[in-house]
């Protein structure tokens, strides 16, 4: 939302929502749209009447813009933090060990002003001894203007007050999934939760619940997760129009498999299993439904584009059936290991072909740094992967495309 408003100041104060791929459902809401009663996940067609009446503004997801602005914000955070963990596209944890406590609030407010001035993105910062408690503090920094963007929880009194005002379903690590069980037991807010004995928490929520319980009291239990390797990688997408032909669907599956291979190489890992799923449109009850999936086990874990794409196409051939209209497909790679620790097999492995495929993949990575898919396999589509996606309300690529720079008149 902030990325959209940074280049479209006329959206300030207006109810705005951002839609998912193919302009399907609401995935982000401004405070004004929340006040209007627009629920998260609402299909666009259900709020279209508000758009038609001029009461709501919609924007298609513009991941290129969001990713670029996120990278700029994170680079500014990294200039200040001794250690930075980028948790998601719009969230990071700054380890400020070594910085004097009395300097933290002023330093963070200066950082907020700098980020707003240099990128146009508003930022709020919560300060506490643990990550979970810092997220509680951040909620207050964002909600109440009196904090001027920075809230520090540094005393037992502040902690108890903040926890008493935090609904249990808003606690990181509990959320809407874990909240009903706790609410049924009389735990309405975070203070109720930490007031229970650790044994009570462990019995109902296991070790992860105890970890959250400790974190809310300022005891560090969640370590830096930045360097943990992913256990699986999935690339999937719904299509703007349903697909019936094998070759057309194979191109999409090849694109997704290629993206998975690229992510594996970026992580320095390789996958031992490649899975594919293809789905019909579950909302079209008038059409025949089919939701198959299949996996191919590789003799040796791989991360090259030719190998991963080839395995994905073999899996797709196992389940594709004529006569269905496919709306969604995806590729999932699992059994992930470090690329440096791959153990070769004695039989059935061509090291020469593996070396060739690895060289091809390295060249593709170098050429495709712009993300435009300039160099691709014959089974993949040329151009950007986003073609064919409905993005009727998409804003411009203001920071990454010379053709879409803002013009000052």
């Amino acid at each position: 939302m902030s990325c959209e408003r940074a280049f479209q100041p006329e959206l300030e104060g207006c109810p705005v929502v951002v839609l998912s791929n193919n302009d399907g459902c609401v995935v982000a809401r401004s405070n004004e749209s929340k006040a209007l009663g627009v629920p998260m996940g609402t299909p666009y067609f259900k709020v279209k009447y508000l758009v038609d009446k001029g009461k709501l503004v919609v924007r298609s997801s513009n991941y290129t813009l969001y990713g670029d602005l996120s990278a700029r914000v994170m680079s500014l955070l990294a200039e200040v933090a001794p250690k930075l963990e980028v948790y998601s596209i719009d969230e990071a944890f700054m380890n400020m060990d070594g910085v004097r406590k009395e300097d933290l609030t002023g330093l963070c407010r200066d950082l907020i002003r700098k980020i707003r001035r240099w990128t146009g993105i508003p930022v709020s910062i919560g300060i506490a001894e643990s990550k979970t408690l810092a997220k509680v503090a951040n909620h207050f920094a964002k909600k109440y203007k009196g904090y001027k963007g920075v809230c520090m929880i540094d005393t037992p009194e502040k902690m108890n007050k903040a926890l008493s005002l935090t609904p249990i379903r808003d606690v990181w690590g509990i959320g809407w999934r874990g909240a009903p069980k706790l609410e049924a037991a009389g735990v309405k807010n975070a203070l109720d939760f930490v007031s229970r004995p650790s044994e009570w928490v462990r019995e109902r929520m296991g070790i992860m619940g105890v970890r959250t319980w400790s974190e809310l009291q300022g005891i560090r239990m969640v370590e830096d997760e930045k360097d943990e390797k992913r256990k699986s990688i999935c690339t999937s997408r719904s299509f703007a129009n349903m697909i019936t032909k094998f070759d057309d669907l194979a191109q999409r599956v090849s694109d997704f498999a290629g993206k998975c291979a690229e992510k594996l190489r970026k992580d320095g890992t390789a996958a031992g299993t490649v899975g594919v799923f293809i789905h019909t449109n579950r909302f079209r009850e008038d059409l025949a439904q089919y939701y198959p999936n299949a996996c191919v086990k590789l003799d040796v874990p791989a991360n090259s584009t030719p190998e991963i794409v080839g395995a994905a196409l073999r899996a797709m051939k196992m389940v594709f059936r004529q006569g269905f209209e496919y709306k969604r497909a995806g590729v999932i790679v699992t059994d992930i290991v470090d690329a440096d620790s791959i153990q070769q097999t004695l039989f059935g492995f061509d090291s020469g072909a593996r070396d060739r495929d690895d060289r091809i993949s390295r060249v593709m990575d170098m050429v495709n740094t712009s993300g435009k898919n300039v160099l691709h396999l014959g089974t993949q589509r040329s151009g950007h992967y986003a073609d064919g996606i409905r993005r009727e309300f998409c804003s411009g690529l203001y920071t990454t495309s010379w053709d879409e720079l803002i013009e000052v008149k």
Side-chain angles (χ1 to χ4, degrees):
M1 200 63 60
S2 299
C3 296
E4 298 289 351
R5 286 176 166 172
F7 295 94
Q8 302 165 82
E10 68 273 14
L11 298 180
E12 288 287 349
C14 296
V16 186
V17 297
V18 175
L19 304 176
S20 61
N21 281 335
N22 288 315
D23 293 340
C25 302
V26 173
V27 292
R29 304 168 294 165
S30 66
N31 290 329
E32 296 81 4
S33 64
K34 294 176 185 177
L36 198 60
V38 178
M40 182 70 84
T42 305
Y44 168 62
F45 71 84
K46 289 189 176 182
V47 297
K48 187 177 183 298
Y49 75 97
L50 293 173
V51 178
D52 294 339
K53 291 181 178 180
K55 295 182 178 181
L56 181 68
V57 177
V58 298
R59 289 290 182 266
S60 304
S61 294
N62 189 342
Y63 298 117
T64 302
L65 176 66
Y66 306 157
D68 182 66
L69 288 178
S70 173
R72 296 179 187 216
V73 170
M74 298 306 173
S75 68
L76 294 174
L77 296 178
E79 291 179 1
V80 173
K83 187 176 182 181
L84 179 71
E85 178 190 347
V86 179
Y87 184 72
S88 66
I89 193 171
D90 63 350
E91 187 174 8
F93 292 105
M94 298 189 295
N95 187 323
M96 304 301 284
D97 288 343
V99 180
R100 294 196 313 168
K101 178 181 175 181
E102 54 267 32
D103 295 337
L104 281 174
T105 299
L107 185 151
C108 288
R109 286 192 177 134
D110 289 342
L111 180 59
I112 287 173
R113 286 191 288 269
K114 183 177 182 179
I115 291 173
R116 185 62 185 263
R117 187 169 62 248
W118 285 25
T119 68
I121 303 297
V123 172
S124 58
I125 299 176
I127 305 172
E129 284 295 326
S130 66
K131 290 182 178 179
T132 306
L133 195 56
K135 285 178 70 69
V136 171
N138 179 260
H139 170 77
F140 290 98
K142 184 182 300 182
K143 186 174 182 179
Y144 299 105
K145 293 183 179 179
Y147 286 110
K148 298 180 181 178
V150 179
C151 175
M152 177 185 285
I153 298 177
D154 58 345
T155 67
E157 294 75 21
K158 290 181 181 180
M159 182 180 73
N160 289 338
K161 184 176 181 179
L163 295 182
S164 69
L165 296 172
T166 303
I168 192 63
R169 62 181 55 243
D170 290 344
V171 174
W172 186 44
I174 295 178
W176 62 270
R177 291 182 183 274
K181 181 190 298 185
L182 294 173
E183 290 171 342
V187 176
K188 305 300 181 183
N189 56 53
L191 185 60
D192 292 339
F193 183 62
V194 300
S195 298
R196 300 299 174 101
S198 62
E199 295 78 11
W200 186 92
V201 175
R202 183 185 294 272
E203 181 180 339
R204 286 160 178 79
M205 300 185 64
I207 189 63
M208 299 302 290
V210 175
R211 186 169 77 164
T212 300
W213 178 83
S214 300
E215 281 266 323
L216 286 171
Q217 299 175 70
I219 303 170
R220 296 187 188 183
M221 300 291 289
V222 181
E223 299 300 326
D224 188 342
E225 300 176 355
K226 181 178 179 182
D227 296 327
E228 289 188 1
K229 302 297 184 182
R230 288 184 273 193
K231 296 179 180 179
S232 65
I233 295 174
C234 177
T235 303
S236 64
R237 186 162 290 154
S238 296
F239 312 127
N241 300 302
M242 288 182 282
I243 295 175
T244 58
K245 297 180 180 179
F246 177 88
D247 289 344
D248 292 340
L249 191 59
Q251 284 188 321
R252 269 66 173 186
V253 168
S254 295
D255 291 342
F256 304 153
K259 200 65 179 176
C260 287
E262 182 183 326
K263 292 176 182 178
L264 286 168
R265 294 193 295 274
K266 186 175 181 180
D267 288 352
T269 57
T273 301
V274 179
V276 169
F277 63 84
I278 51 177
H279 292 172
T280 51
N281 190 344
R282 60 189 177 92
F283 297 107
R284 290 290 303 272
E285 296 180 356
D286 58 316
L287 299 176
Q289 299 295 309
Y290 185 44
Y291 308 104
N293 63 80
C295 293
V296 169
K297 182 77 174 178
L298 302 178
D299 293 332
V300 178
N303 61 17
S304 71
T305 297
E307 287 184 86
I308 300 298
V309 169
L313 291 178
R314 292 198 300 275
M316 180 186 154
K317 289 177 181 177
M318 294 163 60
V319 293
F320 180 84
R321 298 290 183 271
Q322 293 286 354
F324 292 99
E325 298 185 27
Y326 297 99
K327 181 63 175 177
R328 182 177 180 83
V331 174
I332 305 174
V333 294
T334 56
D335 295 337
I336 293 178
V337 299
D338 287 331
D340 295 334
S341 61
I342 296 175
Q343 186 170 353
Q344 314 296 355
T345 60
L346 292 176
F347 307 103
F349 177 69
D350 186 347
S351 60
R354 165 62 65 90
D355 291 341
R356 179 202 64 204
D357 289 344
D358 287 343
R359 289 196 301 272
I360 290 173
S361 299
R362 286 195 293 270
V363 172
M364 292 176 71
D365 289 341
M366 289 188 290
V367 174
N368 293 336
T369 52
S370 64
K372 295 293 182 65
N373 194 27
V374 175
L375 190 60
H376 56 89
L377 301 182
T379 57
Q380 295 175 287
R381 293 173 295 166
S382 60
H384 197 274
Y385 289 157
D387 62 343
I389 295 178
R390 187 182 298 112
R391 302 170 74 194
E392 184 179 347
F393 312 104
C394 195
S395 52
L397 302 177
Y398 306 114
T399 62
T400 59
S401 172
W402 289 107
D403 296 329
E404 297 185 43
L405 292 177
I406 289 180
E407 296 182 4
V408 179
K409 300 181 180 179

